[in-house]
């Protein structure tokens, strides 16, 4: 069993490389779902990889996150527009975070750091 935080990333436009880089820099393991509409596969990839967190990105910030929550029962917070909103959602117990487009290393890094603080993992 790994002590690393495992985070799946699904981006509607097939992006997420910067977020993945931030996750890895903070000591986490990023699973970047490839291709267009990757956000819609987020719940399946989280489930298959026993991911700690799922990050969904699309214009509205809701579609992939809600699909993951509906299919697998993950606690979701969607329509997030900032890194701080994502950190707050983690503190509230969300497992799937739905953002508008926000491909930044800082987001990946802060999510890992906050998860470790909350769960004292690693």
């Amino acid at each position: 069993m790994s002590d690393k935080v495992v985070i799946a990333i699904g981006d509607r436009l097939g992006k997420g490389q910067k977020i993945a880089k931030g996750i890895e820099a903070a000591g986490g393991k990023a699973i970047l779902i490839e291709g267009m509409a990757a956000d819609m596969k987020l719940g399946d990839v989280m489930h298959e990889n026993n991911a700690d967190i799922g990050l969904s990105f699309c214009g509205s910030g809701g579609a992939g996150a809600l699909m993951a929550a509906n299919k697998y029962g993950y606690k979701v917070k969607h329509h997030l527009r900032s890194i701080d909103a994502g950190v707050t959602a983690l503190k509230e117990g969300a497992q799937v975070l739905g953002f508008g487009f926000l491909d930044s290393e800082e987001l990946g890094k802060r999510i890992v750091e906050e998860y470790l603080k909350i769960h004292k993992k690693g």
Side-chain angles (χ1 to χ4, degrees):
M1 184 98 186
S2 173
D3 283 338
K4 286 190 174 193
V5 180
V6 178
I7 302 176
I9 304 163
D11 186 286
R12 177 65 51 118
L13 300 178
K15 296 184 180 184
Q17 292 82 3
K18 291 177 185 172
I19 298 159
K21 190 174 178 184
I23 290 167
E24 300 282 342
K29 177 183 176 187
I31 301 169
L32 183 60
I33 305 165
E34 300 290 329
M36 297 294 283
D39 61 318
M40 301 309 279
K41 301 171 190 166
L42 183 63
D44 293 336
V45 172
M46 285 179 70
H47 184 73
E48 290 164 11
N49 292 279
N50 199 25
D52 297 298
I53 304 168
L55 302 178
S56 175
F57 299 90
C58 67
S60 69
L66 288 169
M67 187 171 220
N70 288 337
K71 188 169 183 180
Y72 292 102
Y74 295 120
K75 186 170 179 187
V76 65
K77 187 78 172 188
H78 50 84
H79 291 86
L80 303 171
R81 297 287 184 235
S82 71
I83 294 168
D84 288 338
V87 168
T88 298
L90 275 181
K91 289 178 181 176
E92 293 171 351
Q95 299 163 284
V96 180
L97 309 178
F99 290 90
F101 295 116
L102 188 63
D103 190 10
S104 79
E105 283 185 46
E106 183 185 354
L107 173 60
K109 188 171 186 274
R110 293 259 321 266
I111 294 295
V112 170
E113 291 169 351
E114 192 59 39
Y115 186 90
L116 291 173
K117 283 183 203 171
I118 293 167
H119 297 279
K120 311 238 184 313
K121 192 171 185 176

